[in-house]
Amino acid sequence: MNLLPTVRDLWRALAIGAVIAVILGGASLAFSAAGKAARGPAPDYLFNDSHFHLTNYVQKGTDIHKYVEQIMGDKVGRSTLFGIPLQQQWSYGNSGDFAPTYYLQSDAPLYYYSFTDAYIARVYQSLPKAQQARLDPMITGFNPTDMYGVDHIRRVLELFPGVFSGIGEFTIHKEFVSSKIAGETASLTNPALDRILDFAGEVGLAVIIHNDIDMPFAKAGTEPVYLTQMRNLLRRHSNTTIIWAHFGLGRIVHPTQGQATGDAEERSPAYRQIVEQLVNDPTLSHVYYDISWDEVAKYAIADPAVEKRTAEVFNRYPDRFLFGTDNVAPADQATQLRVYHLWDPIWAELTPEASLKIRKGNYERIFDAARARVRAWEKANVKPL
């Protein structure tokens, strides 16, 4: 008796198998489609938040579950996640029974609070995986004047592998803040900062750095005092992905004035020239600029002419800007969305492509790459505890 199948038998079996596969595949697709229909369409998020503080200057803030489920909700797709690396001291001799919660509420100093990174890691780890995927935690609790600062960053990565995507927001020069920080004053020329940025480039950590472009109440018609130092720092670290927070602007540090009368019509063109020089500089192609903070939005929407010029820059260079709120421990979704809606006049002037990149796409490109590189570094360098 011949037990081997004939060629005809083999072809018959293959044909039957193909039919079954088509039927089962169709059923699988049908069940998948039904499941998606039951869940409803994916949310059409307004933006990804490139700049978000979960806690404030006394390390208190929003519950992480409330932030993801209610405040981000169906409006914010993804978000960076960091605390404040500085703690405001409550000095009884300075403010008595009044407990300050913000750096402008006391003359007492600020000091670096390294525990913020452990706190951020633990609350992040308390979330289910699907919610973790929407967040990119950042390391902030290091002193940028300390040559050992880089060791703090490495230690955090070793203790919390699989958590962090970058470092920052951390501060070098900031109006009203720099002078209050206890210890050595941070500087753009400090080798400790170079060590930190070198390590970030090696690991793949995205960097968010706050550095004012100028001093408060600067004289009109002069080059911003920190512009050359900042440009040189950025050029020294071409292998590091760096986001310059607020593009150097602040509460008092406004867009640089021109050579003329210094009115609103003259300030913006001068500042716009600086912006275009930076984004067109091939040695700074690794640098991006976030447009977070309501104090920054006020300059962009100062009047219709300024709005138009701002939109023109965004439309011309849509790959270089990211939207963020710079909210600190918001209480509800309305608070989280307020900064976004300040930019409504400019969103309306952007091309669909530019709007999508600035609100969502650039974030995803930068932080997806950071996640992949940091996880690869951890796999190669971090030993299991």
Side-chain angles (χ1 to χ4, degrees), residues 51 169 173-175 209-216 224-227 230 234 243-256 271 274-275 278 287-293 295-296 299 321:
H51 196 125
E169 179 202 22
H173 295 292
K174 182 177 181 179
E175 56 190 12
I209 181 172
H210 180 123
N211 192 83
D212 293 345
I213 197 171
D214 208 349
M215 67 177 71
V225 66
Y226 299 122
L227 177 59
M230 185 65 172
L234 297 172
I243 300 169
W244 187 354
H246 328 304
F247 217 137
L249 302 179
R251 182 177 280 104
I252 302 299
V253 177
H254 50 63
T256 309
Y271 182 70
I274 292 171
V275 170
L278 291 171
V287 181
Y288 302 87
Y289 308 91
D290 86 24
I291 55 170
S292 64
W293 201 10
E295 294 292 335
V296 172
Y299 300 119
F321 298 95

Side-chain angles (χ1 to χ4, degrees), residues 73-224:
D74 62 353
K75 302 300 182 184
V76 184
R78 286 171 60 180
S79 174
T80 55
L81 184 72
F82 42 92
I84 297 282
L86 297 167
Q87 166 79 26
Q88 173 62 60
Q89 178 181 334
W90 181 4
S91 170
Y92 192 85
N94 180 263
S95 60
D97 291 327
F98 174 75
T101 60
Y102 193 53
Y103 63 86
L104 292 178
Q105 295 176 341
S106 172
D107 293 328
L110 298 160
Y111 58 90
Y112 291 102
Y113 188 83
S114 294
F115 188 71
T116 184
D117 295 324
Y119 175 77
I120 291 295
R122 291 302 300 270
V123 297
Y124 169 82
Q125 290 174 330
S126 73
L127 295 170
K129 293 295 184 182
Q131 293 183 356
Q132 289 181 5
R134 298 177 66 184
L135 300 173
D136 287 284
M138 309 286 281
I139 299 169
T140 62
F142 54 88
N143 183 340
T145 72
D146 187 354
M147 295 290 280
Y148 282 126
V150 69
D151 295 282
H152 171 88
I153 297 169
R154 179 187 291 272
R155 194 172 300 117
V156 172
L157 293 173
E158 291 172 345
L159 287 175
F160 300 103
V163 173
F164 291 96
S165 301
I167 63 173
E169 179 202 22
F170 67 96
T171 296
I172 304 300
H173 295 292
K174 182 177 181 179
E175 56 190 12
F176 309 122
V177 170
S178 298
S179 61
K180 291 192 63 176
I181 301 174
E184 182 180 354
T185 302
S187 166
L188 294 169
T189 61
N190 193 322
L193 178 57
D194 285 306
R195 281 169 57 87
I196 289 168
L197 295 181
D198 280 341
F199 182 68
E202 173 191 336
V203 177
L205 294 158
V207 175
I208 303 176
I209 181 172
H210 180 123
N211 192 83
D212 293 345
I213 197 171
D214 208 349
M215 67 177 71
F217 310 110
K219 184 179 179 180
T222 59
E223 178 179 279

Side-chain angles (χ1 to χ4, degrees), residues 263-330:
D263 59 24
E265 289 297 315
E266 293 297 332
R267 286 200 301 268
S268 293
Y271 182 70
R272 174 176 174 172
Q273 184 178 18
I274 292 171
V275 170
E276 293 192 334
Q277 288 173 352
L278 291 171
V279 298
N280 280 311
D281 188 333
T283 68
L284 300 178
S285 60
H286 60 294
V287 181
Y288 302 87
Y289 308 91
D290 86 24
I291 55 170
S292 64
W293 201 10
D294 53 359
E295 294 292 335
V296 172
K298 72 183 181 184
Y299 300 119
I301 59 173
D303 60 57
V306 174
E307 291 171 4
K308 181 179 179 180
R309 288 196 293 267
T310 302
E312 288 174 352
V313 172
F314 288 173
N315 281 328
R316 189 171 297 148
Y317 310 103
D319 295 323
R320 306 301 292 281
F321 298 95
L322 301 88
F323 174 73
T325 63
D326 196 19
N327 279 336
V328 177

